[in-house]
C-alpha cells in the first residue's frame, strides 16, 4: 500500500525507451530505464526500498539472456 505503483514505473520506463535518442544503444537505454526505476524505489516507504531495488538489479546481459530465452531464440 502506498508508494509508486509498479505500473506507473513501467509506463515511465517505456516512455523513456520510446523517446530516447535514436543513437542510443539498447544497453544505454536499458541503463537509463534501470536508473529511473531505482530512483522511483527511493520514493517508496523505507520498508519497501530494499525489495524494490532488488527487482531493478538485473544486469543488461542477464536481461538480454532471459529475453532471448523467453522468445525461443
Amino acid at each position: 500500500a502506498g508508494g509508486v505503483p509498479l505500473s506507473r514505473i513501467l509506463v515511465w520506463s517505456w516512455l523513456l525507451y520510446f523517446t530516447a535518442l535514436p543513437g542510443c544503444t539498447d544497453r544505454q537505454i536499458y541503463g537509463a530505464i534501470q536508473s529511473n526505476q531505482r530512483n522511483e524505489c527511493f520514493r517508496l516507504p523505507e520498508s519497501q526500498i530494499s525489495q524494490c531495488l532488488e527487482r531493478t538489479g538485473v544486469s543488461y546481459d542477464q536481461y538480454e539472456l532471459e529475453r532471448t530465452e523467453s522468445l525461443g531464440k
Side-chain angles (χ1 to χ4, degrees):
V4 179
L6 184 57
S7 60
R8 181 173 172 204
I9 293 171
L10 292 173
V11 167
W12 281 107
S13 297
W14 280 109
L15 180 62
L16 176 63
Y17 178 82
F18 286 114
T19 59
L21 296 174
C24 291
T25 65
D26 289 343
R27 186 178 299 269
Q28 290 169 320
I29 293 169
Y30 181 83
I33 291 170
Q34 193 174 45
S35 178
N36 182 53
Q37 289 174 334
R38 283 189 193 122
N39 288 338
E40 291 295 328
C41 288
F42 289 105
R43 300 177 101 196
L44 296 173
E46 190 172 332
S47 62
Q48 297 175 15
I49 292 173
S50 179
Q51 184 179 12
C52 181
L53 289 172
E54 286 177 20
R55 290 192 307 260
T56 66
V58 177
S59 71
Y60 176 79
D61 294 327
Q62 183 64 35
Y63 158 77
E64 189 63 27
L65 176 67
E66 292 174 9
R67 187 183 75 80
T68 301
E69 288 175 350
S70 73
L71 295 174
K73 293 183 177 179

